[in-house]
Amino acid sequence: MIMPHVITENCILCRYGSCVDVCPVVCFHEGPNFMVIDPVECVDCGICVDACEANAIFPAAQLPPSLAHYQKLNESLSAVWPLVMEASGPLTSADAWNGAIGKWQHLVGAPKA
Ligand code: SF4
């Protein structure tokens, strides 16, 4: 069974976009300051994991419990955010926010927990 990969909290305010460049299929959807993977289109190759400068991508089956809610979030937001064919480049805030804690509260365009 194919399990999708999931983008998690440390992408928020970084959105480097390197994952888009290496992915063999088109399955990334971009929001204002975060990015998600469409679980239907992801073929679970894992290439994006090492490409992510923020270490924000996990196989769904290996999500840390504290990040488990991101699986549902990737699924729901990929249905409403636009598909991206090419990365638009890191956000200007990317390096300053990479690794910061408590980024969830800064997520734009998604329901709050
Ligand atoms: Fe794309 Fe592979 Fe990452 Fe899925 S696991 S998002 S198919 S690079």
Side-chain angles (χ1 to χ4, degrees):
M1 175 182 169
I2 292 178
M3 291 288 289
H5 278 57
V6 175
I7 303 183
T8 64
E9 183 145 339
N10 203 36
C11 177
I12 297 169
L13 287 167
C14 291
R15 211 191 64 198
Y16 283 100
S18 302
C19 47
V20 178
D21 294 333
V22 300
C23 182
V25 296
V26 180
C27 63
F28 287 89
H29 295 252
E30 194 174 87
N33 66 0
F34 184 52
M35 175 172 285
V36 294
I37 293 171
D38 181 342
V40 174
E41 298 299 329
C42 175
V43 297
D44 203 31
C45 69
I47 294 172
C48 57
V49 173
D50 288 339
C52 177
E53 293 93 331
N55 297 314
I57 305 177
F58 295 82
Q62 296 174 24
L63 273 171
S66 63
L67 299 174
H69 56 293
Y70 279 88
Q71 183 170 2
K72 193 74 177 172
L73 192 66
N74 276 237
E75 181 180 352
S76 60
L77 292 178
S78 66
V80 294
W81 281 356
L83 188 67
V84 286
M85 309 291 283
E86 291 183 14
S88 55
L91 296 173
T92 55
S93 54
D95 289 343
W97 281 90
N98 192 357
I101 57 172
K103 295 169 79 174
W104 170 258
Q105 63 185 312
H106 300 290
L107 177 58
V108 176
K112 298 298 181 189

